[in-house]
Amino acid sequence: MSATQLPQAQLASGGKLRDPDFSSRVFWLVLAILLLWPLGVATEFRPWVLWEPDNRKVTLDFLASFWPLVYDAEFMRMVARETWRTVAMATAGVTLALVLAVPMCLMATRVISLSALSGRMNRWPAVMRWFVRATLIVLRSIPELVWALVFVRVVGLGPTAGVLAIALTYGGMLGKVYAEILESGESHATHTLMRNGSGRLQAFVYALLPSHAAELASYTVYRWECAIRSSVVLGFVGAGGLGQQLDNSMKMFNGGEVATLLLVFIALVALADHVSAWLRRALS
Amino acid sequence: MPTRAAANPPYKLPPPLFDARCRACWFTLALLVLVIASFVSLDLD
């Protein structure tokens, strides 16, 4: 850009380019620092503690214990078995969560409400929708770790507690997000079908579902990937799978086994991510 | 293999539930197998 093309204000300041939003950027940056500083102090956020000599030695010793990896045949057979158990726990949990979430999302969404077609929903359908949404809030508010601790006391150690914990928490999450996905976007086709006499389920299957199928499937696969990670965490409270083996190996200070289990876990999550990307491409 | 025909031509029968050339059919079948295998292998109480 030549000097003759520069705006007059820039020419007046000696030809230097000036950021017109500089003052607002500085203002928001200072405001963010003023808000975050007391939060950091209250939570004792001191990352420089990690670099103190004693702490650095402990960290390096811990990382050094990861080598060499343990990969003998018997251990790898156990890892394969527990990996399958982790995937199975996540899959069974998400399947039960879908059994819970799908009917609840259909009841919670306003788009397929017949009384709302006239503009104002009737009282009892509105109360029912409020009740369903409140149930979804309760289900997803309690972390799956807490549910798992409760179910371990009820059904004992094993995958049942983990599956039930994932089913309840993820049922609440899936139901809420499904309802919001269905309510977003264009609802003209759905309302047209319902105004012309189709049932709510028909309007859902023929109008609502096709337009949101990719987004629903993408979110479901993402939640399945989250459930795999949750299964590992739930293993620490006795639900079995890779998490329980990880807990056992850490208690035995066997860094090699811990490293192998962590690498297998990373590979598992990467595989789930690959499946999710393939499915999104296939649906779009 | 003789192809099936509708009883009231020229109308056609609906497509079969599973088609070996359909990737979505294979994906659905794999998903079903994964779900059933998960429940069976976990031996839930």
Side-chain angles (χ1 to χ4, degrees), chain A residues 201-277:
Chain A
L201 205 55
Q202 286 172 316
F204 168 72
V205 170
Y206 288 101
L208 210 51
L209 189 60
S211 54
H212 295 108
E215 202 175 340
L216 291 170
S218 174
Y219 186 73
T220 308
V221 175
Y222 167 68
R223 275 297 162 196
W224 177 70
E225 184 195 315
C226 294
I228 289 177
R229 285 186 270 123
S230 294
S231 301
V232 174
V233 172
L234 294 180
F236 278 83
V237 296
L242 281 175
Q244 194 159 356
Q245 294 307 318
L246 204 58
D247 186 38
N248 292 342
S249 298
M250 287 177 96
K251 283 175 179 165
M252 301 295 285
F253 297 102
N254 195 329
E257 287 184 359
V258 170
T260 305
L261 288 166
L262 284 176
L263 285 174
V264 167
F265 178 51
I266 289 169
L268 192 58
V269 173
L271 179 67
D273 182 67
H274 187 72
V275 167
S276 169

Side-chain angles (χ1 to χ4, degrees), chain A residues 84 88 91-92 95 159-160 278-279, chain B residues 27 35 37-39 41-42 44-45:
Chain A
W84 165 247
T91 306
T95 304
T160 308
W278 174 82
L279 187 64
Chain B
F27 179 79
V35 169
S38 299
F39 278 100
S41 66
L42 282 176
L44 300 171
D45 297 329

